[in-house]
Amino acid sequence: MPKITIQTTVNGRSVSKDVDPSLRLLDFLREELYLTGAKEGCGAGECGTCSVFVDGVLMKSCLMPAGKAQGTTIETVEGLAERNRLTVLQQAFHKTGASQCGYCIPGMVMAATSCLRGNPHASLDEIKEHLGGNICRCTGYSKIFEAVELARDVLNGSVPATALQEDAFKDSFLGANVRRLDAPSKVTGALKYAGDMTMPGMLHLQVLRSPHAHARIVSLDTSEAERMPGVEAVVTSADVPGVDGYGVFIHDQPVLARGKVRFVGDAVAAIAAETVAQARDALEKIKVVYEELPAVFDAEEAMKPGAPLVHEGNTDNICQHIPIRKGNIEDGFAKADVILEETFRTQRVEHAYLEPEAGLAYVEPDGTVTIHSPSQNITHHRHMLAHILAMPINKVRMIMSPVGGGFGGKEDMIYQGILALAAIKSRRPVRYVFTREESILVSAKRHPFVMRLRMGLTKDGRITATHMHSISDGGAYALSTPGVMRKHCILGAGPYEIDNVRIDAYGIYTNNTPSGAFRTFGAMQSLFATESMMDMAAEKLGLDPFEIRRINAMRDGAVTHTQQKLGSVSMLQVLDTLEKGSRWQPGVPNGRGATRDDLGGPGTRAPCTLGVRLRDTSDVAAE
Amino acid sequence: MLRCDDYYLPATLDEAFDLIERFPGEHRIIAGGTDLLPWAREGRAGDVHIPVLIDISRVAEMRGQKAQDGRIRLGANTTFAEFLKDPFLKRHLPVMAHAAIWFADDQLRAAATLAGNLVNGSPAGDGIPPMVAMEGSVVLESRKDGKRHTRTVPVADFIQGPGKTLLEPGELMTAIECDDMEGWGSAFEKVGHRRSLVISTCCVAALVKVDWATRRFADVRLAIGAVGPVPCRAKELEQSLIGQPVTAETIRSLSDRTAGFVRSRSRQEYRRKVLASFVERALGDALDELGIAPVSQPVHGEERLHA
Ligand SMILES: Cc1cc2nc3c(=O)[nH]c(=O)nc-3n(C[C@H](O)[C@H](O)[C@H](O)COP(=O)(O)OP(=O)(O)OC[C@H]3O[C@@H](n4cnc5c(N)ncnc54)[C@H](O)[C@@H]3O)c2cc1C
């Protein structure tokens, strides 16, 4: 392989290395120098997890060929602070709780450092502008801005350094501002996520994925790929020794496609090779003959008789139907003065955690298969994998690496099985790191729903009946669909006293990307419908939206629609707090004309503006 | 994944041409790399193998900027960051600072060049409308049989269509030239899904010069991007303002004449609406930079303007 020599100074140390000219600066730092503080969140310059200083200027190292580093001076997050100490900015991040999953944090710290080095008095607007190239999915940025402002004030002397110390607290942690134990490892870039881990002799895995939404695999020939340089193992479904299938509730997903593919991105075969590039080259030599099958991309279409069957062996495409019945809705609607009816739709959503899926697997001397991955469900994964590998459970070890954002999206065992098979077959440690594109292509999405909701109310705002009929696209495999349908129904009618409730949720198989767990697990969708309907009902009945909710709110001792007796119910307190906090202007929403008084003002966040720097023209004048 | 077998950093133009001659058909020029690297990813070009990358970012002759004969000459290695920071550039090309603040983010701007933006020729390239407005032209150089050839092409001709330019194989863009806009008021409007790191859905560059004695538009430059296959100059709109009094009405009168510029097939209605108000706002902001506010008075109110 051709090499180029890179000579640079990295964190004060001069470095000279012969490397693959295809490396980017990010790869050079991570793979050659083991400086894994800079991360690869997207590989396309969009997210800022890879930010480093090059000759004092902050750059995105994923867009910089390593060749460009020739003769430069590089500073990474590891170089900011002396060993076992934190910079003021890092301490401020620690203090304010600015690091949650932590994956964006090294980049954030770098961007904030760059901002304050440039202007020790940067205003909040300017701070926001300088952090514009760095994305965080956990914090909503508030804590991060708070940290940068705190650091700025300590650095420019307007606030004493003691402000960086942990707040004092007495007997209870509740309500106290307690610092995260793992924050120092995050703000310094020391924490190792799965993709940051390496082992001697480690191979790199890449996966061949289906270009078709629904197709039969007529033949799969890996012989040429096996002979490609660097290839140590090729795995297919034929390598599964045990009972193939996983899923959070229904084990309907094979580790690698078995006879057919069900969505674009379905894993077909995998290759472990000495380098990622070799594994990718070898993937191209796998010969798959597909016979395309009619596919179905719409949940309602998929429910019709004669629709293409996503899982043969089933009689229809219904993955899960959850019905809830309480009282008698016909009676309820008969008592209503008004009946509202509406169809609500929600879309698929990608979790977009900053850390793409990654894992490292190896076989220990006693035969134990060990997998490090940011799995949100290690115990269940372990059980499933033991069945798949036909191994006793004590020979399967799942280690949860730090999760660089999950939000439900890392509950599914979509790659750990492949890693295990590759490690067993190659007898070497194997690492697999998704690209951002791959993560978006194959990871589960929030369930899209179509919800037809009928609600009956009396003139004074009391709900007499609720009837919701929901259909959701669960995609090609079940993943969390059964649970999501259940939660959708259980919480769907809202925290309201309603005598007559009927809810049906259908999770449907289609040839789309699988839907899975995502914060609120299906409840947000049904509550979007119910709460929207509450506002519409308020308008219709001439009531204040808070009032109509108070009229119907569950109170202490209420029994939920699924017959769970509740002790205390805080619904009324929540409403009061919200009303006060939002400075709500009372009245019917559609009765106050075009303007309202409760938007903007203190406590609301102004939109970001650009160009604060341009308004300061002192340097032009000085020229 | 972008793969190469060798990576060169020529220090002079001659070294660069040596490499171009040594690896005909096997090389690719790289400047900031901010278009090239993301292009070689899944969903776009996928894995790409280019035997030799010739990185021109250290070519001495392609650095720096200077003023000559009412024109500004920008070395091809001028990055978007320089437009924000460099006092000379801020004074002579004020609109570029406004365009730069909307361009990507701090970190991308430190690498991304205006030349790369022009060669990439994206319909949404934010550097293009200002350059078209400022009568920009590109200097293209090549070397044959040891002799240098130079040609200068207006930016408006250079970019032929999405991703299509007049750049010939073996040719380098060594400089960009445009009018010296010192003393003009300028503005750049842009909208996309978010503020940072976003591709324009619609953008407008505006430059104005005011006759202070009469309070009329002395000269106007207006260019529109991201709503058609190539960014373009709105000469008819410029003409209809020149000589007119600086009033809100004059400016607003352009709003219903902008719809024709929207030729993109997607989000047409949105783009038409935004464009109409962007033209109005850009002119207002450009005037604001000169410290003049368009007064909302009909033409006969002119005397009051003088007062
Ligand atoms: C995250 C992100 C955000 C972005 N945001 C924006 C944005 O807001 N607005 C916008 O307009 N663009 C944006 N871009 C696109 C890109 O950054 C710009 O087009 C940039 O100006 C390209 O310049 P470069 O120097 O990086 O070009 P490169 O990628 O190095 O080169 C681009 C092309 O030009 C050729 N080339 C470069 N220089 C020369 C030369 N001197 N002579 C001959 N050929 C040459 C190269 O061979 C290549 O084909 C963004 C890109 C990313 C990744």
Side-chain angles (χ1 to χ4, degrees):
Chain A
M1 196 206 292
K3 298 266 184 189
I4 53 170
T5 307
I6 309 264
Q7 285 176 309
T8 63
T9 303
V10 181
N11 296 333
R13 193 168 67 87
S14 59
V15 172
S16 177
K17 278 208 163 229
D18 295 339
V19 301
D20 173 1
S22 307
L23 294 192
R24 303 159 302 166
L25 176 59
L26 179 64
D27 307 316
F28 178 72
L29 294 170
R30 291 175 54 84
E31 309 298 330
E32 299 288 330
L33 305 182
Y34 302 98
L35 291 169
T36 54
K39 318 257 173 232
E40 177 157 5
C42 74
E46 304 280 354
C47 78
T49 53
C50 67
S51 304
V52 300
F53 286 102
V54 180
D55 287 336
V57 178
L58 196 68
M59 309 277 264
K60 289 186 166 164
S61 60
C62 76
L63 288 187
M64 191 167 156
K68 269 187 187 292
Q70 186 67 324
T72 61
T73 297
I74 290 161
E75 190 181 3
T76 70
V77 69
E78 290 92 342
L80 291 180
E82 282 170 46
R83 240 179 201 299
N84 300 324
R85 292 187 56 196
L86 301 181
T87 65
V88 166
L89 194 71
Q90 288 168 332
Q91 291 174 58
F93 269 67
H94 187 193
K95 166 72 184 277
T96 66
S99 63
Q100 286 188 27
C101 88
Y103 204 78
C104 75
I105 290 302
M108 283 290 176
V109 167
M110 295 297 274
T113 302
S114 171
C115 171
L116 296 182
R117 280 181 185 173
N119 181 3
H121 299 276
S123 64
L124 179 58
D125 273 345
E126 195 173 336
I127 292 168
K128 286 183 184 174
E129 211 169 290
H130 283 287
L131 299 189
N134 295 65
I135 297 174
C136 168
R137 284 285 285 167
C138 301
T139 64
Y141 303 98
S142 290
K143 302 278 178 203
I144 292 172
F145 295 146
E146 217 181 291
V148 186
E149 289 198 284
L150 173 61
R152 173 199 62 199
D153 294 343
V154 170
L155 285 169
N156 69 27
S158 58
V159 157
T162 49
L164 297 167
Q165 287 166 10
E166 185 159 41
D167 286 351
F169 53 90
K170 288 204 186 91
D171 323 321
S172 169
F173 288 121
L174 292 180
N177 187 2
V178 182
R179 294 191 304 195
R180 280 182 81 103
L181 293 176
D182 62 1
S185 69
K186 289 173 175 170
V187 299
T188 53
L191 188 66
K192 297 281 182 196
Y193 296 83
D196 300 333
M197 298 175 188
T198 47
M199 284 186 84
M202 185 179 84
L203 299 171
H204 299 267
L205 190 93
Q206 291 285 294
V207 173
L208 182 72
R209 298 191 173 277
S210 165
H212 302 295
H214 200 190
R216 198 169 68 80
I217 297 174
V218 180
S219 64
L220 179 58
D221 176 4
T222 60
S223 53
E224 197 184 339
E226 281 159 31
R227 293 193 299 270
M228 288 291 285
V231 171
E232 290 292 309
V234 179
V235 289
T236 67
S237 62
D239 294 299
V240 175
V243 185
D244 196 0
Y246 66 91
V248 180
F249 297 92
I250 303 169
H251 298 180
D252 61 359
Q253 186 162 6
V255 172
L256 288 155
R258 193 165 277 279
K260 87 174 200 177
V261 289
R262 296 183 175 85
F263 74 101
V264 173
D266 218 348
V268 176
I271 291 180
E274 300 286 352
T275 69
V276 173
Q278 286 173 329
R280 290 176 81 90
D281 287 342
L283 283 187
E284 293 190 2
K285 304 294 177 191
I286 296 179
K287 293 187 197 76
V288 193
V289 178
Y290 294 101
E291 176 198 328
E292 278 195 72
L293 299 170
V296 58
F297 301 110
D298 178 272
E300 284 169 277
E301 288 298 318
M303 290 174 83
K304 290 182 181 158
L309 210 52
V310 179
H311 289 270
E312 45 294 310
N314 291 355
T315 51
D316 55 34
N317 286 318
I318 297 176
C319 171
Q320 183 77 54
H321 169 217
I322 301 284
I324 285 191
R325 305 285 183 269
K326 177 187 175 190
N328 180 331
I329 52 165
E330 304 314 326
D331 294 350
F333 284 119
K335 284 185 201 136
D337 297 315
V338 290
I339 295 175
L340 301 175
E341 198 164 346
E342 200 61 59
T343 301
F344 298 90
R345 288 167 198 276
T346 60
Q347 79 281 30
R348 214 171 251 107
V349 183
E350 158 67 28
H351 305 76
Y353 22 75
L354 266 293
E355 179 209 24
E357 290 77 357
L360 173 64
Y362 49 90
V363 182
E364 293 182 48
D366 70 350
T368 302
V369 177
T370 300
I371 299 164
H372 297 255
S373 75
S375 155
Q376 289 184 272
N377 208 341
I378 40 170
T379 305
H380 189 223
H381 286 187
R382 183 185 187 210
H383 281 264
M384 290 191 293
L385 199 57
H387 283 287
I388 290 166
L389 299 179
M391 288 171 83
I393 191 123
N394 67 338
K395 288 283 182 274
V396 176
R397 210 148 73 102
M398 283 278 179
I399 298 178
M400 185 180 183
S401 56
V403 182
F407 319 125
K410 289 175 179 164
E411 286 189 17
D412 309 305
M413 201 181 70
I414 56 176
Y415 59 96
Q416 290 86 346
I418 308 175
L419 268 174
L421 294 178
I424 293 168
K425 195 161 180 179
S426 68
R427 300 166 197 268
R428 305 244 312 246
V430 182
R431 189 175 81 185
Y432 181 26
V433 182
F434 280 38
T435 60
R436 173 59 56 186
E437 290 88 339
E438 194 174 18
S439 172
I440 288 177
L441 182 71
V442 309
S443 71
K445 307 288 174 266
R446 188 192 285 285
H447 282 78
F449 270 88
V450 178
M451 298 158 286
R452 279 188 277 283
L453 174 60
R454 213 164 161 239
M455 192 185 272
L457 300 103
T458 60
K459 272 195 286 254
D460 54 5
R462 207 153 245 306
I463 305 169
T464 59
T466 264
H467 180 195
M468 191 184 287
H469 185 86
S470 303
I471 295 173
S472 181
D473 185 342
Y477 296 101
L479 305 186
S480 292
T481 293
V484 168
M485 294 309 117
R486 203 166 294 133
K487 196 66 104 201
H488 179 88
C489 292
I490 292 171
L491 298 173
Y496 304 116
E497 293 286 1
I498 310 170
D499 290 337
N500 308 294
V501 175
R502 178 186 167 125
I503 304 181
D504 290 279
Y506 294 87
I508 304 299
Y509 285 120
T510 66
N511 295 108
N512 288 325
T513 310
S515 305
F518 197 152
R519 291 184 162 186
T520 77
F521 219 62
M524 192 207 69
Q525 293 92 325
S526 50
L527 290 173
F528 166 68
T530 293
E531 293 301 330
S532 300
M533 196 64 118
M534 292 300 276
D535 289 340
M536 292 156 104
E539 291 190 357
K540 183 100 183 166
L541 297 170
L543 289 168
D544 179 288
F546 276 100
E547 211 38 52
I548 195 169
R549 286 174 170 84
R550 282 198 185 92
I551 291 167
N552 292 287
M554 286 182 180
R555 288 165 162 76
D556 287 354
V559 176
T560 68
H561 309 299
T562 45
Q563 302 307 305
Q564 183 185 357
K565 192 161 166 26
L566 303 176
S568 67
V569 179
S570 53
M571 178 66 176
L572 291 174
Q573 283 157 268
V574 168
L575 286 172
D576 289 347
T577 310
L578 269 177
E579 192 173 19
K580 219 181 272 162
S582 64
R583 291 185 297 279
W584 179 254
Q585 181 190 358
V588 195
N590 55 346
R592 51 162 89 102
T595 57
R596 45 187 307 164
D597 305 331
D598 47 7
L599 298 177
T604 55
R605 196 196 281 182
C608 169
T609 57
L610 283 179
V612 227
R613 276 175 270 183
L614 296 179
R615 274 163 241 147
D616 169 22
T617 49
S618 49
D619 55 346
V620 180
E623 199 221 357
Chain B
M1 215 185 222
L2 183 63
R3 289 199 235 160
C4 64
D5 307 325
D6 221 335
Y7 196 94
Y8 290 95
L9 280 161
T12 66
L13 207 47
D14 269 321
E15 277 179 40
F17 283 125
D18 289 346
L19 290 164
I20 289 172
E21 282 167 13
R22 215 169 108 203
F23 302 106
E26 286 190 312
H27 72 269
R28 186 86 186 243
I29 302 299
I30 174 166
T34 62
D35 271 322
L36 210 53
L37 268 69
W39 162 76
R41 290 187 66 88
E42 294 155 61
R44 297 185 68 193
D47 288 0
V48 177
H49 177 238
I50 299 170
V52 174
L53 285 176
I54 305 176
D55 184 329
I56 48 145
S57 60
R58 294 188 191 176
V59 171
E61 296 95 318
M62 289 164 68
R63 293 216 147 157
Q65 303 87 23
K66 61 176 184 233
Q68 58 185 38
D69 311 325
R71 298 275 281 178
I72 299 295
R73 187 183 164 93
L74 305 167
N77 284 331
T78 304
T79 62
F80 279 90
E82 290 175 71
F83 293 113
L84 268 182
K85 285 187 194 127
D86 187 86
F88 171 86
L89 290 175
K90 278 162 89 170
R91 191 167 81 194
H92 292 282
L93 304 178
V95 72
M96 288 309 293
H98 293 293
I101 198 80
W102 280 100
F103 182 99
D105 67 8
D106 275 351
Q107 304 168 53
L108 266 287
R109 287 194 285 266
T113 62
L114 174 60
N117 199 247
L118 298 178
V119 175
N120 194 51
S122 157
D126 289 326
I128 305 171
M131 277 299 140
V132 172
M134 297 187 291
E135 300 278 359
S137 46
V138 295
V139 179
L140 307 174
E141 291 195 52
S142 54
R143 197 175 76 181
K144 236 189 224 127
D145 307 322
K147 271 179 66 182
R148 293 264 193 89
H149 300 269
T150 304
R151 58 186 185 125
T152 304
V153 182
V155 170
D157 299 334
F158 178 70
I159 298 169
Q160 298 267 298
K164 270 178 46 196
T165 69
L166 294 179
L167 188 79
E168 296 283 340
E171 234 175 2
L172 283 178
M173 185 185 290
T174 51
I176 301 149
E177 296 172 349
C178 67
D179 289 345
D180 185 344
M181 308 306 276
E182 183 175 1
W184 291 59
S186 68
F188 186 82
E189 309 291 339
K190 166 172 169 177
V191 69
H193 289 302
R194 56 191 289 256
R195 296 286 162 106
S196 298
L197 295 171
V198 75
I199 294 175
S200 285
T201 304
C202 176
C203 67
V204 169
L207 292 120
V208 296
K209 214 171 177 176
V210 170
D211 180 341
W212 291 95
T214 60
R215 291 238 164 183
R216 287 172 186 268
F217 284 103
D219 207 348
V220 179
R221 303 283 180 85
L222 206 55
I224 293 164
V227 297
V230 284
C232 64
R233 183 137 166 221
K235 279 201 175 148
E236 324 84 84
L237 301 185
E238 295 174 0
Q239 286 306 320
S240 65
L241 285 180
I242 295 171
Q244 295 298 311
V246 177
T247 65
E249 284 70 24
T250 334
I251 295 174
R252 198 163 303 135
S253 71
L254 300 185
S255 310
D256 46 3
R257 293 165 53 201
T258 57
F261 289 95
V262 178
R263 295 200 280 145
S264 310
R265 265 161 277 165
S266 63
R267 288 187 279 175
Q268 281 199 342
E269 204 186 315
Y270 173 76
R271 287 182 147 119
R272 283 200 196 104
K273 268 192 190 158
V274 170
L275 181 59
S277 57
F278 266 12
V279 166
E280 190 179 332
R281 195 164 84 186
L283 289 165
D285 287 355
L287 288 165
D288 189 50
E289 196 170 69
L290 291 177
I292 181 168
V295 180
S296 187
Q297 296 290 331
V299 182
H300 58 75
E302 228 182 307
E303 302 79 42
R304 292 180 55 194
L305 277 178
H306 286 290

